[in-house]
Amino acid sequence: MIETAPITAVMRALADPTRRAVFERIASADEITVVELTRGSGVTQGAISQHLKSLRQAGLVAERPEGRNVYYRAEPEGLAPLVDWMSHYGSFWRDRFANLRTLLKEIDP
């Protein structure tokens, strides 16, 4: 069955729209700094840092310090609990659609 702790952490991290936007910006870049994430976001650097902390704790981003800068990159493996959860329900819906297809063929041969 699905392990609940990691999926809860990932869903909680991505539930916040601002945090999700930060994650999407990181995912679309190779690596990005807090300063770059803050620029043009309308969010303070402190708030970005808090969002990054949540994303790190959920395993969605990793950091690489270099001198005075810290570079962030997306960790695709961090989405694995979410993918597993979705695939579990994907089979549920495939079964339902198969049943619906059978029913429709019985109704209108």
Side-chain angles (χ1 to χ4, degrees):
M1 191 63 188
I2 298 167
E3 196 173 322
T4 58
I7 186 66
T8 301
V10 172
M11 285 185 155
R12 187 171 288 141
L14 295 175
D16 182 272
T18 303
R19 194 173 303 131
R20 197 168 46 249
V22 168
F23 178 73
E24 289 173 5
R25 284 194 61 200
I26 294 169
S28 67
D30 186 31
E31 285 187 323
I32 192 166
T33 65
V34 175
V35 172
E36 292 170 317
L37 285 168
T38 304
R39 193 176 301 133
S41 69
V43 180
T44 66
Q45 186 170 337
I48 293 289
S49 294
Q50 287 299 311
H51 288 304
L52 288 168
K53 180 181 177 183
S54 295
L55 292 169
R56 271 194 325 272
Q57 289 174 340
L60 296 170
V61 299
E63 60 183 15
R64 179 181 63 83
E66 185 178 289
R68 297 179 75 197
N69 292 316
V70 178
Y71 293 88
Y72 292 89
R73 69 181 177 283
E75 288 290 333
E77 307 85 39
L79 292 170
L82 184 58
V83 171
D84 291 344
W85 184 81
M86 290 174 59
S87 67
H88 171 75
Y89 286 99
S91 64
F92 168 82
W93 285 110
R94 279 189 295 278
D95 292 344
R96 297 298 186 269
F97 285 129
N99 291 343
L100 178 60
R101 188 177 305 115
T102 303
L103 178 65
L104 291 174
K105 284 182 181 177
E106 288 175 5
I107 292 172
D108 188 22

